[in-house]
Amino acid sequence: MRDPAGSASCHVDHKADGLAEIRFEGDWRIHADLPSFADLVRRIESLRPAAGITFDSRELKAWDSGFLTFLRKLMVHCQSKQIAVQVEGLPEGARRLLQLATAVPERQGARREARRTGWLARLGGSTIAYIAATKDMLAFLGEVVTALGRLVTGRARFPYRDFGVLVQDCGARALPIVSLISVLVGLILAFVGAVQLQMFGAQIYVANLVGLGMAREMGAMMAAVIMAGRTGAAFAAQLGTMQVNEEIDALATLGISPIEFLVLPRMLALVLMMPLLCLYANLMGIAGGFIVGVGMLDLPFKQYLVQTQNAVALNHFMVGLVKSAIFGVIVALAGCLRGMQSGRSATAVGGAATSAVVTGIIYIVVADAIITVICDILGV
Amino acid sequence: MEEKQPHIVVEDLTMAYGDFVIQQDLNFCINRGDIFIIMGGSGCGKSTLLRILVGLKAPSRGRVFFDAIDFWGASEMEREDLMHRMGILYQSGALWSSMTLAENVALPLREYTRLNDAQIREVVALKLALVGLAGFEDYYPSEISGGMRKRAGLARAMALDPEILYFDEPSAGLDPISAKRLDDLILEIRDSMGATIVVVTHELASIFAIGNNAVFLDTASKTMIASGDPRQMASSSPDEGVQRFLTRGDTFTV
Ligand SMILES: Nc1ncnc2c1ncn2[C@@H]1O[C@H](COP(=O)(O)OP(=O)(O)OP(=O)(O)O)[C@@H](O)[C@H]1O
Ligand SMILES: [Mg+2]
C-alpha cells in the first residue's frame, strides 16, 4: 500500500538583502492536499524580493509530480515578474526533471487553439462538407464502375480466393437469420390480414396478401435490411480496421488498387447473393403465411397452395429480384464507402460501421419508393 | 554505491500456455533503482515474462515478490494496488486512438487520483514536457510519428509516478538517434525519480548503455542461462550462446 499522505506546507521567509526563501515541508505528493499556489504568490508579492528567491527543502519528506507542477507554476510566475530564482536548494531529482521538462522547447505552431465559430459559419461549414461528401460518394461510385470495367475486360487484379469466402459469408452464412426474420414477417402479414379478411369471410385471400407482399416488397426489403446490419456493417468495420493498420496504404503503394482488390469483390459477392437471399426470403415468408392460413384459419392445404400460385405471377417475383439486386449494390457501396473513408481510430471505425448501416437503410427505403413508383407507371 | 535493496524477486518461476512450457526455474532479483534488461532470442518468452510481472498473466508455478509482497498470492485488491505502482510502455505505444495525447495521459490520473481538472491539466502538461512533447496536448495518436507515439506512451506510463516502469522493446522501430534519446530519457528518469526500470530489448547498444543488471532467457533449454551485469556477461559468460548474442556472433571465445 502507498503510505497515507501526510500534510504539506510551505513558508516564505524574508532573508537579508531582498532575498526571500521558500521552505517546503512535509509530504508533497500528488495524493496529499497541497498548499494553495495563490497564497504563496500573495506572500511573495508582499515581500517583493528584489534579489530573488532561494529554496530550502531540508524538511521535505517526499515529493512527486505534485511538487513538480507546483514548482513549474512558480517558475513561470517568477519569470513573468522578473524575479530571479536560485534552484540550488531544491532536491537534485526535482531540479533535473524541471530541466528535462524545458529541454525540448515547445515547437512553434504545434499548439492548437480552440476556435469559436458562429452559427452562420457552422451552417456554411456543414453545407460545404455535405457537398464535398456527395462529391466523394460520386467519385467513389465512378471508381467502382471503372474498376468493374477493368474486371470485365480482364485487366483487374481480382482476389478470387477472397471472393469465394465473401460469397459464402454473404450467402450461406446469412441463411439462418434470413429464415427466422422472413418466416416471422410472413406470419405477421398473414395474421394481420387474417383478422381483417375473416370479417368478410374472405380468409382465402390471406394467400394473395402474403404471396404478393413477400414477392414484391417484403422479401427484398427484409433481406436488404438484414444484410445492411449484418454485412454492410462488417464491410465498413473490415475496411476501417485495414485503414487503421495502414493495410490499404500498403496495397496502394504496391500499385494494387484497393477498389479492385477490396471493394469490387465485396460488391459482386453481395450483388450476386442478394437476389438468391431474396428468393429464399420469399419462400420462407410464404411458408410463414402458410402456417397461419392452414394452422389457424383451417384453410385446406391444397387450396392455399393453388391460391398462392394464381395470385403471384412470375413478374411479381421479378420485381422483387430486381429490387434486391439494386439493394445489394446500395448496401455494399455504403459499407465499402464508409469503411474506406474511416479515420484511424477505434471510434472512427465504430462510426464507419454505424454510418454504413444508417446510410444503407435510408437509401434502401428511398430506392424502394422510387422503384415502386416506376413499376406503377410501367404497370408491372 | 549505496546498499542494494531488492525490489522485485522472482522465485522458481515457470510459465506456460496450457501444457506448453515456455520457460521454467527462473530465479532472479531486481534491485531498487536498477535498469534491468530481459533479453534472449525471438520467441523465448520475454513478452510472456513481462506479462506475468505486470499482472496480466498468472505463472504456472513459482512466485513473484514486490517489496516482499507475494504478487500472485495476494488478494485481487492488493494486486490491483500494486499494479497502480507500475507503469508500462507497450511495444507499439498502445495509445487509445480515440483520445488526444492529453486525454491519454489524463485517464489514469482521473481514475486513481482526486485531482481536479485544472490540476490534471498541469500534471499532463508536465509529463508531456518531460518526454519532449510540450504543445502536442490536443493531437490524436494517428497525427504524430511513431517515435512521438512511443514518447507519448512513456508520458502515460509515468502519469501516476510509478515506482517501477516496464518497457517492451522501447527502441524497436526507432532511428538510432531517437533510440539513443529514449535511452537517455530512461536513464534520466531512473536517476531523478529513483524508479526501478525493467526493459525487454535486443538492441545491443541499449543493453550496454543503460542496463546494469540482466537476465538471458534461452529457447532451447527453456530456462535462464545467464544473469548479472550485461557487460560482464559479454566478456566472461561461460555460455557460448550468450556471448554470441551479445557480440552479434562476431567473436568466438571458446
Ligand atoms: N497466447 C498464446 N498462446 C499460446 N502460445 C503463446 C501465446 N503467446 C505466445 N505464445 C508462445 O510463447 C512463446 C514465447 O512468446 P513471447 O511472445 O513471450 O516471445 P518473445 O520472447 O517476446 O519473442 P519476441 O522477441 O519475438 O517478441 C512463443 O513460442 C509463442 O509461440
Ligand atoms: Mg515480444
Side-chain angles (χ1 to χ4, degrees):
Chain A
M1 298 294 266
R2 238 175 237 266
D3 318 328
S7 64
S9 62
C10 64
H11 308 276
V12 186
D13 301 322
H14 186 73
K15 289 269 143 129
D17 348 311
L19 268 180
E21 185 182 70
I22 302 180
R23 205 147 37 80
F24 293 107
E25 287 178 4
D27 182 352
W28 275 77
R29 283 180 304 177
I30 213 154
H31 296 266
D33 284 317
L34 300 182
S36 139
F37 181 69
D39 283 352
L40 178 74
V41 167
R42 231 168 292 134
R43 270 179 291 162
I44 292 176
E45 262 164 19
S46 70
L47 283 179
R48 270 182 251 272
I53 290 177
T54 61
F55 297 100
D56 178 355
S57 47
R58 275 169 298 182
E59 295 297 313
L60 183 64
K61 298 277 186 307
W63 58 272
D64 65 9
S65 304
F67 185 55
L68 290 177
T69 47
F70 194 88
L71 285 180
R72 247 159 73 93
K73 275 190 286 186
L74 184 62
M75 298 293 172
V76 170
H77 174 80
C78 290
Q79 209 169 22
S80 69
K81 292 273 172 335
Q82 291 177 335
I83 302 173
V85 179
Q86 294 164 28
V87 292
E88 283 73 24
L90 291 173
E92 149 124 43
R95 233 161 46 210
R96 292 173 68 159
L97 283 172
L98 279 179
Q99 204 179 9
L100 189 62
T102 48
V104 180
E106 199 173 310
R107 202 189 290 178
Q108 286 302 311
R111 192 174 288 279
R112 291 173 178 179
E113 302 300 337
R115 258 178 296 158
R116 299 188 87 89
T117 42
W119 68 269
L120 198 61
R122 262 179 293 154
L123 181 69
S126 46
T127 310
I128 292 171
Y130 184 79
I131 294 171
T134 312
K135 268 191 202 158
D136 280 351
M137 197 155 168
L138 290 177
F140 185 74
L141 197 64
E143 279 185 68
V144 171
V145 171
T146 43
L148 196 63
R150 277 200 299 276
L151 179 69
V152 170
T153 53
R155 284 179 299 133
R157 260 179 254 257
F158 193 74
Y160 289 95
R161 209 140 44 103
D162 293 356
F163 182 64
V165 177
L166 284 166
V167 165
Q168 193 184 11
D169 192 57
C170 298
R173 281 173 198 245
L175 288 182
I177 175 97
V178 172
S179 310
L180 178 71
I181 304 282
S182 317
V183 168
L184 288 179
V185 168
L187 274 174
I188 294 165
L189 273 182
F191 198 77
V192 173
V195 172
Q196 300 299 317
L197 292 170
Q198 243 176 345
M199 292 195 283
F200 306 100
Q203 297 92 311
I204 188 61
Y205 288 101
V206 166
N208 297 40
L209 178 69
V210 174
L212 280 177
M214 287 311 295
R216 286 190 76 108
E217 282 295 331
M218 296 313 281
M221 182 72 127
M222 289 328 288
V225 170
I226 292 167
M227 293 314 272
R230 191 183 171 278
T231 306
F235 286 174
Q238 285 162 3
L239 297 185
T241 312
M242 293 183 80
Q243 195 70 266
V244 173
N245 290 338
E246 301 180 331
E247 293 171 50
I248 291 180
D249 295 349
L251 278 177
T253 47
L254 269 181
I256 300 176
S257 149
I259 303 276
E260 285 173 23
F261 201 78
L262 299 172
V263 176
L264 214 48
R266 286 177 168 74
M267 264 198 53
L268 286 183
L270 201 56
V271 172
L272 286 181
M273 287 300 111
M274 203 65 141
L276 296 183
L277 284 177
C278 168
L279 204 61
Y280 179 75
N282 291 342
L283 290 180
M284 283 293 149
I286 290 172
F290 198 79
I291 294 171
V292 173
V294 175
M296 208 182 87
L297 302 176
D298 292 327
L299 293 169
F301 179 89
K302 194 76 194 277
Q303 197 189 349
Y304 192 96
L305 206 64
V306 172
Q307 185 73 17
T308 306
Q309 275 172 348
N310 291 339
V312 194
L314 210 54
N315 68 324
H316 296 307
F317 277 113
M318 283 314 293
V319 171
L321 291 184
V322 169
K323 270 187 189 174
S324 72
I326 294 172
F327 294 165
V329 174
I330 291 173
V331 169
L333 270 184
C336 294
L337 173 70
R338 295 301 179 221
M340 297 292 281
Q341 286 176 336
S342 165
R344 299 197 164 172
S345 72
T347 321
V349 174
T354 309
S355 157
V357 176
V358 173
T359 328
I361 290 180
I362 289 175
Y363 282 107
I364 287 168
V365 175
V366 171
D368 193 29
I370 295 173
I371 297 170
T372 306
V373 171
I374 293 177
C375 286
D376 192 51
I377 294 170
L378 295 179
V380 279
Chain B
M1 283 283 279
E2 73 267 39
E3 185 72 25
K4 293 235 167 177
Q5 245 184 330
H7 201 175
I8 307 170
V9 178
V10 169
E11 252 183 36
D12 273 337
L13 189 78
T14 295
M15 50 201 200
Y17 287 101
D19 289 338
F20 181 53
V21 174
I22 310 286
Q23 287 282 327
Q24 55 197 3
D25 304 325
L26 301 184
N27 284 288
F28 57 84
C29 167
I30 304 175
N31 294 314
R32 210 168 262 283
D34 265 1
I35 295 185
F36 187 88
I37 312 273
I38 299 174
M39 55 184 157
S42 190
C44 67
K46 302 180 295 291
S47 300
T48 310
L49 177 57
L50 204 63
R51 286 173 62 82
I52 290 178
L53 292 178
V54 302
L56 289 173
K57 174 176 162 51
S60 346
R61 208 161 53 78
R63 287 184 293 182
V64 178
F65 293 94
F66 285 97
D67 284 335
I69 304 171
D70 183 354
F71 189 45
W72 287 100
S75 69
E76 188 98 5
M77 281 251 298
E78 264 182 297
R79 190 154 60 236
E80 250 179 44
D81 214 70
L82 280 172
M83 282 164 83
H84 295 165
R85 288 157 58 179
M86 308 172 183
I88 304 147
L89 173 63
Y90 295 91
Q91 182 163 350
S92 54
L95 294 168
W96 296 301
S97 56
S98 51
M99 299 183 197
T100 61
L101 299 193
E103 287 163 350
N104 263 283
V105 181
L107 184 71
L109 293 164
R110 213 158 263 144
E111 293 297 312
Y112 298 115
T113 66
R114 292 179 289 113
L115 301 183
N116 62 33
D117 283 353
Q119 290 168 317
I120 287 182
R121 221 170 311 123
E122 285 162 11
V123 176
V124 167
L126 169 73
K127 301 287 164 172
L128 286 175
L130 281 178
V131 297
L133 287 176
F136 285 92
E137 276 85 349
D138 295 326
Y139 281 62
Y140 283 92
S142 54
E143 299 172 325
I144 57 176
S145 75
M148 288 160 86
R149 240 172 273 165
K150 215 153 249 185
R151 278 184 280 149
L154 177 56
R156 186 181 70 184
M158 294 194 305
L160 293 173
D161 292 302
E163 296 166 33
I164 308 169
L165 264 171
Y166 294 99
F167 292 80
D168 196 355
E169 317 239 358
S171 39
L174 294 188
D175 67 275
I177 310 267
S178 305
K180 165 88 171 55
R181 257 195 231 129
L182 194 63
D183 283 349
D184 291 344
L185 191 58
I186 293 173
L187 279 173
E188 185 63 42
I189 287 166
R190 192 267 310 261
D191 292 342
S192 46
M193 303 206 306
T196 302
I197 290 174
V198 179
V199 185
V200 169
T201 182
H202 348 248
E203 293 286 320
L204 288 181
S206 283
I207 292 176
F208 294 123
I210 61 176
N212 67 335
N213 198 354
V215 61
F216 188 97
L217 306 182
D218 184 46
T219 321
S221 57
K222 295 198 168 174
T223 187
M224 51 189 269
I225 50 173
S227 65
D229 188 320
R231 269 156 292 221
Q232 272 165 20
M233 259 192 222
S235 62
S236 57
S237 167
D239 190 281
E240 195 193 319
V242 176
Q243 288 227 350
R244 247 197 342 241
F245 185 96
L246 287 172
T247 53
R248 281 186 165 178
D250 286 345
T251 42
F252 292 89
T253 41
V254 188

